[in-house]
Amino acid sequence: MTDPVTVLGTPLQDKAQRLLLLGSGELGREVALEAVRLGLEVVAVDRYDRAPAMALAHRRHVIDMLDGEALRRVVELERPSLIVPEVEAIATDTLVALEAEGWRIIPTARATQLTMNREGIRRLAAEALGLKTSPFRFASTEAEYLEAVAAIGLPCVVKPIMSSSGKGQSTVRQETEVLPAWKYAAEAGRGKSDRVIVEGFVPFDAEITLLTVRAIDGTHFCPPIGHRQESGDYCESWQPCALHPDTLAACQAMAKAVTDALGGWGLFGVELFIAGEADQPQTVYFSEVSPRPHDTGMVTLVSQHQSEFELHVRAIMGLPIGEISLVQPGASAVILAPGQSDHPCYSGLDQALQVPTSKVRLFGKPTAHPHRRMGVALALGDTVEQAKERAIACASAVQVIL
Ligand code: AMP
């Protein structure tokens, strides 16, 4: 269902248009802010209280979003015009049922179901759409896993099918690492699934996120965002990422194919691997897609005229996007917690903000654990290199005190 929101009520009054945010992390917080700016009433949901987006919401609910009955209760209580998933781990079968009853799921219930685990989206991209990906196999038992590793060969990358931020993921380069990778993935997937994907290692030269918006005025692409990952989680991102014009066209064609197949309105983060240098046509591999704003896209808070969050909210409200323009080359660098704490504090902001053009966003998460993302530093530059140096200098001046 893609009816535009044509008449807007006032938040907390009878005719309010309510946006129910399923997942209230740092990306959800920015979505909530843009929604509030456009006059929506925002209800934030997460599995823990005081999640980042709850600070900006009109109301909040704390539930296990994998519990279909709890999810349905919140929907029926709040009666939202837009149900906006911000995380993967949601009872997507319930979203499918709710959509069939007329509730509006962003971008579509099927898209949330296909992208909830790596198998659905990989099969759609590689098998149904014929997009180039790394070679892959799925396995649910140790025997199937050993067979999959033998078929793919080393090096390979092993990931639980239900995981994000690199949890349970390993790169296997030698025989002695094969079984530990299986055990590590199973530990991370516990309670959800033991199933893993074994992917051939792609020796890429760059990895990018191509933010793609499906809106009432067509499909739009943001300039490509380059990023660097460590242990499967993003550390820095920058925009624009230089690509050969033929490569950019190939990336956009892949992003169009996969987002058209998922359907609905909204912003999608299409993750692609690029092999080869930018002075000649490069090889593009599809990796994954998020049917929502992407963490590497936080750079757009400074580098674009409309951030990925504003684009998402506009698209889902059925409003036009118009032109997407880059303000200046920009970069983001993450601020991570060094350990566990129930009362994290921050210092060094005075130093950090002496970096020219820099901004800091602290997410206000109530607890820290090792490597948890607590904030992000943003900066602009005359070049991407300068922006990156500034963002890194700014982020490294902030200390998370446990
Ligand atoms: P993912 O959670 O699938 O996005 O993986 C996290 C990161 O691991 C990616 O952004 C890449 O840096 C790396 N990675 C994942 N799959 C592969 C692969 N098949 N070959 C090489 N690197 C990979």
Side-chain angles (χ1 to χ4, degrees):
M1 231 208 322
T2 46
D3 292 332
V5 176
T6 43
V7 179
L8 271 176
T10 295
L12 304 174
Q13 294 187 7
D14 279 1
K15 294 189 180 124
Q17 300 285 338
R18 251 182 308 285
L19 184 153
L20 183 73
L21 203 51
L22 300 179
S24 298
E26 57 267 37
L27 305 182
R29 184 172 78 164
E30 299 296 335
V31 170
L33 177 59
E34 294 302 336
V36 168
R37 282 178 164 154
L38 274 170
L40 298 183
E41 185 175 310
V42 175
V43 181
V45 180
D46 212 315
R47 68 187 156 73
Y48 67 98
D49 202 7
R50 292 185 287 132
M54 291 178 182
L56 295 175
H58 292 92
R59 275 187 307 289
R60 65 188 198 273
H61 295 276
V62 177
I63 60 164
D64 172 5
M65 292 178 290
L66 285 165
D67 175 347
E69 279 173 32
L71 187 57
R72 175 176 283 280
R73 268 198 301 278
V74 168
V75 168
E76 289 175 353
L77 177 75
E78 293 290 355
R79 311 196 64 74
S81 358
L82 299 163
I83 299 175
V84 184
E86 282 301 313
V87 292
E88 281 148 16
I90 297 178
T92 53
D93 291 352
T94 303
L95 294 184
V96 170
L98 287 166
E99 188 178 74
E101 293 161 31
W103 300 101
R104 173 129 180 251
I105 316 292
I106 300 300
T108 63
R110 181 173 157 268
T112 63
Q113 209 168 29
L114 283 171
T115 53
M116 185 190 185
N117 77 56
R118 297 177 187 276
E119 186 160 4
I121 190 62
R122 183 52 73 105
R123 292 203 186 279
L124 173 76
E127 292 166 7
L129 302 175
L131 303 183
K132 188 175 180 69
T133 65
S134 59
F136 62 94
R137 292 278 175 106
F138 294 96
S140 294
T141 62
E142 191 175 306
E144 278 175 20
Y145 167 70
L146 294 175
E147 221 174 278
V149 173
I152 298 292
L154 299 187
C156 64
V157 182
V158 180
K159 313 170 194 172
I161 60 162
M162 294 260 297
S163 76
S164 58
S165 307
K167 289 187 196 84
Q169 175 174 330
S170 0
T171 300
V172 178
R173 296 180 190 278
Q174 49 194 25
E175 286 298 332
T176 53
E177 293 167 348
V178 173
L179 273 178
W182 166 251
K183 290 189 181 122
Y184 182 51
E187 248 164 58
R190 196 174 334 198
K192 290 181 258 175
S193 153
D194 276 351
R195 198 162 167 80
V196 299
I197 182 170
V198 180
E199 287 187 35
F201 183 85
V202 178
F204 56 77
D205 293 284
E207 55 180 322
I208 67 158
T209 304
L210 190 63
L211 297 174
T212 303
V213 195
R214 297 188 87 247
I216 197 165
D217 58 347
T219 295
H220 308 258
F221 302 102
C222 297
I225 294 169
H227 51 96
R228 192 174 73 77
Q229 306 257 334
E230 245 172 48
S231 320
D233 207 6
Y234 119 89
C235 323
E236 292 125 35
S237 69
W238 55 89
Q239 189 188 36
C241 174
L243 294 178
H244 187 279
D246 294 352
T247 309
L248 180 60
C251 292
Q252 292 182 346
M254 263 195 194
K256 177 88 169 59
V258 77
T259 54
D260 279 352
L262 293 174
W265 281 341
L267 176 133
F268 298 73
V270 182
E271 293 180 39
L272 304 166
F273 297 147
I274 314 287
E277 294 304 324
D279 53 3
Q280 51 189 313
Q282 299 149 298
T283 308
V284 181
Y285 297 81
F286 172 82
S287 174
E288 336 183 85
V289 58
S290 64
R292 63 184 70 96
H294 198 267
D295 51 8
T296 62
M298 282 192 281
V299 62
T300 62
L301 286 166
V302 292
S303 57
Q304 288 188 178
H305 175 61
Q306 302 181 73
S307 74
E308 62 168 343
F309 309 102
E310 183 175 357
L311 291 168
H312 191 50
V313 173
R314 271 167 77 145
I316 68 184
M317 288 177 72
L319 298 171
I321 297 303
E323 192 182 317
I324 297 178
S325 51
L326 192 76
V327 176
Q328 225 187 306
S332 77
V334 298
I335 297 168
L336 302 179
Q340 192 70 35
S341 172
D342 286 335
H343 46 268
C345 297
Y346 304 86
S347 68
L349 285 159
D350 46 350
Q351 291 292 317
L353 292 174
Q354 282 177 25
V355 175
T357 76
S358 68
K359 294 184 190 227
V360 171
R361 298 283 178 259
L362 295 179
F363 306 142
K365 292 179 182 172
T367 56
H369 50 73
H371 309 298
R372 187 172 199 193
R373 200 185 300 143
M374 306 304 282
V376 70
L378 305 162
L380 296 171
D382 295 331
T383 61
V384 153
E385 282 61 40
Q386 186 182 42
K388 260 198 253 186
E389 277 166 24
R390 287 174 169 174
I392 292 170
C394 178
S396 49
V398 178
Q399 282 106 42
V400 183
I401 306 164
L402 302 176

PDB file of all heavy atoms in Angstrom, residues 166-184:
ATOM      1  N   GLY A 166      28.681  -7.640  12.548  1.00  0.00           N
ATOM      2  CA  GLY A 166      29.817  -8.570  12.600  1.00  0.00           C
ATOM      3  C   GLY A 166      29.723  -9.622  13.698  1.00  0.00           C
ATOM      4  O   GLY A 166      30.667 -10.385  13.901  1.00  0.00           O
ATOM      5  N   LYS A 167      28.570  -9.696  14.392  1.00  0.00           N
ATOM      6  CA  LYS A 167      28.465 -10.670  15.502  1.00  0.00           C
ATOM      7  C   LYS A 167      28.479 -12.086  14.938  1.00  0.00           C
ATOM      8  O   LYS A 167      27.676 -12.419  14.072  1.00  0.00           O
ATOM      9  CB  LYS A 167      27.178 -10.424  16.305  1.00  0.00           C
ATOM     10  CG  LYS A 167      27.245  -9.162  17.116  1.00  0.00           C
ATOM     11  CD  LYS A 167      26.033  -9.018  18.034  1.00  0.00           C
ATOM     12  CE  LYS A 167      25.910  -7.602  18.538  1.00  0.00           C
ATOM     13  NZ  LYS A 167      25.210  -6.688  17.627  1.00  0.00           N
ATOM     14  N   GLY A 168      29.401 -12.904  15.443  1.00  0.00           N
ATOM     15  CA  GLY A 168      29.480 -14.300  15.015  1.00  0.00           C
ATOM     16  C   GLY A 168      30.149 -14.496  13.665  1.00  0.00           C
ATOM     17  O   GLY A 168      30.191 -15.608  13.141  1.00  0.00           O
ATOM     18  N   GLN A 169      30.687 -13.426  13.100  1.00  0.00           N
ATOM     19  CA  GLN A 169      31.281 -13.515  11.755  1.00  0.00           C
ATOM     20  C   GLN A 169      32.786 -13.758  11.826  1.00  0.00           C
ATOM     21  O   GLN A 169      33.468 -13.160  12.645  1.00  0.00           O
ATOM     22  CB  GLN A 169      31.014 -12.190  11.032  1.00  0.00           C
ATOM     23  CG  GLN A 169      31.689 -12.095   9.671  1.00  0.00           C
ATOM     24  CD  GLN A 169      31.284 -10.832   8.931  1.00  0.00           C
ATOM     25  OE1 GLN A 169      30.186 -10.321   9.099  1.00  0.00           O
ATOM     26  NE2 GLN A 169      32.179 -10.332   8.103  1.00  0.00           N
ATOM     27  N   SER A 170      33.299 -14.662  10.980  1.00  0.00           N
ATOM     28  CA  SER A 170      34.765 -14.823  10.888  1.00  0.00           C
ATOM     29  C   SER A 170      35.201 -15.040   9.460  1.00  0.00           C
ATOM     30  O   SER A 170      34.443 -15.566   8.639  1.00  0.00           O
ATOM     31  CB  SER A 170      35.307 -16.003  11.692  1.00  0.00           C
ATOM     32  OG  SER A 170      34.350 -16.726  12.372  1.00  0.00           O
ATOM     33  N   THR A 171      36.435 -14.654   9.203  1.00  0.00           N
ATOM     34  CA  THR A 171      37.068 -14.978   7.924  1.00  0.00           C
ATOM     35  C   THR A 171      37.969 -16.175   8.176  1.00  0.00           C
ATOM     36  O   THR A 171      38.791 -16.155   9.091  1.00  0.00           O
ATOM     37  CB  THR A 171      37.895 -13.782   7.421  1.00  0.00           C
ATOM     38  OG1 THR A 171      36.998 -12.681   7.272  1.00  0.00           O
ATOM     39  CG2 THR A 171      38.540 -14.069   6.077  1.00  0.00           C
ATOM     40  N   VAL A 172      37.763 -17.226   7.400  1.00  0.00           N
ATOM     41  CA  VAL A 172      38.525 -18.468   7.585  1.00  0.00           C
ATOM     42  C   VAL A 172      39.587 -18.535   6.495  1.00  0.00           C
ATOM     43  O   VAL A 172      39.272 -18.566   5.303  1.00  0.00           O
ATOM     44  CB  VAL A 172      37.577 -19.693   7.495  1.00  0.00           C
ATOM     45  CG1 VAL A 172      38.362 -20.986   7.637  1.00  0.00           C
ATOM     46  CG2 VAL A 172      36.495 -19.594   8.554  1.00  0.00           C
ATOM     47  N   ARG A 173      40.864 -18.494   6.935  1.00  0.00           N
ATOM     48  CA  ARG A 173      41.956 -18.493   5.951  1.00  0.00           C
ATOM     49  C   ARG A 173      42.697 -19.816   5.907  1.00  0.00           C
ATOM     50  O   ARG A 173      43.360 -20.138   4.955  1.00  0.00           O
ATOM     51  CB  ARG A 173      42.947 -17.372   6.259  1.00  0.00           C
ATOM     52  CG  ARG A 173      42.307 -16.009   6.129  1.00  0.00           C
ATOM     53  CD  ARG A 173      43.260 -14.876   6.430  1.00  0.00           C
ATOM     54  NE  ARG A 173      42.504 -13.632   6.518  1.00  0.00           N
ATOM     55  CZ  ARG A 173      42.139 -12.908   5.472  1.00  0.00           C
ATOM     56  NH1 ARG A 173      42.477 -13.278   4.256  1.00  0.00           N
ATOM     57  NH2 ARG A 173      41.425 -11.798   5.630  1.00  0.00           N
ATOM     58  N   GLN A 174      42.638 -20.584   7.020  1.00  0.00           N
ATOM     59  CA  GLN A 174      43.324 -21.880   7.039  1.00  0.00           C
ATOM     60  C   GLN A 174      42.477 -22.927   7.743  1.00  0.00           C
ATOM     61  O   GLN A 174      41.561 -22.584   8.502  1.00  0.00           O
ATOM     62  CB  GLN A 174      44.698 -21.743   7.696  1.00  0.00           C
ATOM     63  CG  GLN A 174      44.637 -21.015   9.017  1.00  0.00           C
ATOM     64  CD  GLN A 174      46.019 -20.593   9.479  1.00  0.00           C
ATOM     65  OE1 GLN A 174      46.926 -20.417   8.677  1.00  0.00           O
ATOM     66  NE2 GLN A 174      46.178 -20.458  10.785  1.00  0.00           N
ATOM     67  N   GLU A 175      42.841 -24.198   7.486  1.00  0.00           N
ATOM     68  CA  GLU A 175      42.048 -25.335   7.986  1.00  0.00           C
ATOM     69  C   GLU A 175      41.770 -25.263   9.489  1.00  0.00           C
ATOM     70  O   GLU A 175      40.670 -25.570   9.931  1.00  0.00           O
ATOM     71  CB  GLU A 175      42.774 -26.664   7.674  1.00  0.00           C
ATOM     72  CG  GLU A 175      42.706 -27.071   6.198  1.00  0.00           C
ATOM     73  CD  GLU A 175      41.282 -27.304   5.701  1.00  0.00           C
ATOM     74  OE1 GLU A 175      40.410 -27.672   6.532  1.00  0.00           O
ATOM     75  OE2 GLU A 175      41.032 -27.089   4.498  1.00  0.00           O
ATOM     76  N   THR A 176      42.784 -24.828  10.277  1.00  0.00           N
ATOM     77  CA  THR A 176      42.608 -24.823  11.738  1.00  0.00           C
ATOM     78  C   THR A 176      41.511 -23.841  12.173  1.00  0.00           C
ATOM     79  O   THR A 176      41.031 -23.902  13.296  1.00  0.00           O
ATOM     80  CB  THR A 176      43.913 -24.416  12.457  1.00  0.00           C
ATOM     81  OG1 THR A 176      44.335 -23.172  11.883  1.00  0.00           O
ATOM     82  CG2 THR A 176      44.999 -25.470  12.301  1.00  0.00           C
ATOM     83  N   GLU A 177      41.122 -22.920  11.289  1.00  0.00           N
ATOM     84  CA  GLU A 177      40.109 -21.917  11.666  1.00  0.00           C
ATOM     85  C   GLU A 177      38.688 -22.359  11.300  1.00  0.00           C
ATOM     86  O   GLU A 177      37.716 -21.695  11.647  1.00  0.00           O
ATOM     87  CB  GLU A 177      40.420 -20.588  10.960  1.00  0.00           C
ATOM     88  CG  GLU A 177      41.707 -19.949  11.472  1.00  0.00           C
ATOM     89  CD  GLU A 177      42.198 -18.800  10.581  1.00  0.00           C
ATOM     90  OE1 GLU A 177      41.696 -18.631   9.446  1.00  0.00           O
ATOM     91  OE2 GLU A 177      43.099 -18.078  11.031  1.00  0.00           O
ATOM     92  N   VAL A 178      38.583 -23.502  10.595  1.00  0.00           N
ATOM     93  CA  VAL A 178      37.271 -23.913  10.071  1.00  0.00           C
ATOM     94  C   VAL A 178      36.274 -24.204  11.203  1.00  0.00           C
ATOM     95  O   VAL A 178      35.192 -23.620  11.239  1.00  0.00           O
ATOM     96  CB  VAL A 178      37.419 -25.129   9.117  1.00  0.00           C
ATOM     97  CG1 VAL A 178      36.040 -25.661   8.721  1.00  0.00           C
ATOM     98  CG2 VAL A 178      38.209 -24.734   7.873  1.00  0.00           C
ATOM     99  N   LEU A 179      36.637 -25.072  12.121  1.00  0.00           N
ATOM    100  CA  LEU A 179      35.688 -25.432  13.187  1.00  0.00           C
ATOM    101  C   LEU A 179      35.435 -24.309  14.190  1.00  0.00           C
ATOM    102  O   LEU A 179      34.285 -24.063  14.573  1.00  0.00           O
ATOM    103  CB  LEU A 179      36.124 -26.715  13.893  1.00  0.00           C
ATOM    104  CG  LEU A 179      35.604 -27.986  13.211  1.00  0.00           C
ATOM    105  CD1 LEU A 179      36.111 -29.228  13.926  1.00  0.00           C
ATOM    106  CD2 LEU A 179      34.071 -28.004  13.113  1.00  0.00           C
ATOM    107  N   PRO A 180      36.483 -23.571  14.614  1.00  0.00           N
ATOM    108  CA  PRO A 180      36.207 -22.421  15.504  1.00  0.00           C
ATOM    109  C   PRO A 180      35.207 -21.434  14.899  1.00  0.00           C
ATOM    110  O   PRO A 180      34.355 -20.886  15.615  1.00  0.00           O
ATOM    111  CB  PRO A 180      37.583 -21.782  15.686  1.00  0.00           C
ATOM    112  CG  PRO A 180      38.558 -22.901  15.471  1.00  0.00           C
ATOM    113  CD  PRO A 180      37.926 -23.816  14.457  1.00  0.00           C
ATOM    114  N   ALA A 181      35.243 -21.237  13.577  1.00  0.00           N
ATOM    115  CA  ALA A 181      34.305 -20.294  12.942  1.00  0.00           C
ATOM    116  C   ALA A 181      32.868 -20.792  13.070  1.00  0.00           C
ATOM    117  O   ALA A 181      31.940 -20.010  13.295  1.00  0.00           O
ATOM    118  CB  ALA A 181      34.670 -20.103  11.470  1.00  0.00           C
ATOM    119  N   TRP A 182      32.678 -22.097  12.954  1.00  0.00           N
ATOM    120  CA  TRP A 182      31.333 -22.693  13.104  1.00  0.00           C
ATOM    121  C   TRP A 182      30.820 -22.478  14.530  1.00  0.00           C
ATOM    122  O   TRP A 182      29.686 -22.069  14.752  1.00  0.00           O
ATOM    123  CB  TRP A 182      31.401 -24.177  12.745  1.00  0.00           C
ATOM    124  CG  TRP A 182      30.197 -24.973  13.160  1.00  0.00           C
ATOM    125  CD1 TRP A 182      30.131 -25.895  14.164  1.00  0.00           C
ATOM    126  CD2 TRP A 182      28.888 -24.923  12.577  1.00  0.00           C
ATOM    127  NE1 TRP A 182      28.864 -26.415  14.257  1.00  0.00           N
ATOM    128  CE2 TRP A 182      28.073 -25.843  13.291  1.00  0.00           C
ATOM    129  CE3 TRP A 182      28.307 -24.187  11.532  1.00  0.00           C
ATOM    130  CZ2 TRP A 182      26.730 -26.042  12.989  1.00  0.00           C
ATOM    131  CZ3 TRP A 182      26.958 -24.393  11.241  1.00  0.00           C
ATOM    132  CH2 TRP A 182      26.184 -25.301  11.957  1.00  0.00           C
ATOM    133  N   LYS A 183      31.715 -22.743  15.488  1.00  0.00           N
ATOM    134  CA  LYS A 183      31.296 -22.616  16.897  1.00  0.00           C
ATOM    135  C   LYS A 183      30.996 -21.158  17.242  1.00  0.00           C
ATOM    136  O   LYS A 183      30.022 -20.852  17.926  1.00  0.00           O
ATOM    137  CB  LYS A 183      32.390 -23.169  17.823  1.00  0.00           C
ATOM    138  CG  LYS A 183      32.463 -24.670  17.675  1.00  0.00           C
ATOM    139  CD  LYS A 183      33.343 -25.341  18.697  1.00  0.00           C
ATOM    140  CE  LYS A 183      33.346 -26.846  18.438  1.00  0.00           C
ATOM    141  NZ  LYS A 183      34.670 -27.394  18.197  1.00  0.00           N
ATOM    142  N   TYR A 184      31.819 -20.265  16.737  1.00  0.00           N
ATOM    143  CA  TYR A 184      31.641 -18.829  17.006  1.00  0.00           C
ATOM    144  C   TYR A 184      30.300 -18.345  16.434  1.00  0.00           C
ATOM    145  O   TYR A 184      29.531 -17.628  17.086  1.00  0.00           O
ATOM    146  CB  TYR A 184      32.815 -18.061  16.398  1.00  0.00           C
ATOM    147  CG  TYR A 184      32.794 -16.572  16.638  1.00  0.00           C
ATOM    148  CD1 TYR A 184      32.617 -16.057  17.923  1.00  0.00           C
ATOM    149  CD2 TYR A 184      32.953 -15.675  15.583  1.00  0.00           C
ATOM    150  CE1 TYR A 184      32.611 -14.688  18.133  1.00  0.00           C
ATOM    151  CE2 TYR A 184      32.948 -14.305  15.788  1.00  0.00           C
ATOM    152  CZ  TYR A 184      32.773 -13.820  17.065  1.00  0.00           C
ATOM    153  OH  TYR A 184      32.751 -12.466  17.276  1.00  0.00           O
TER     154      TYR A 184
END
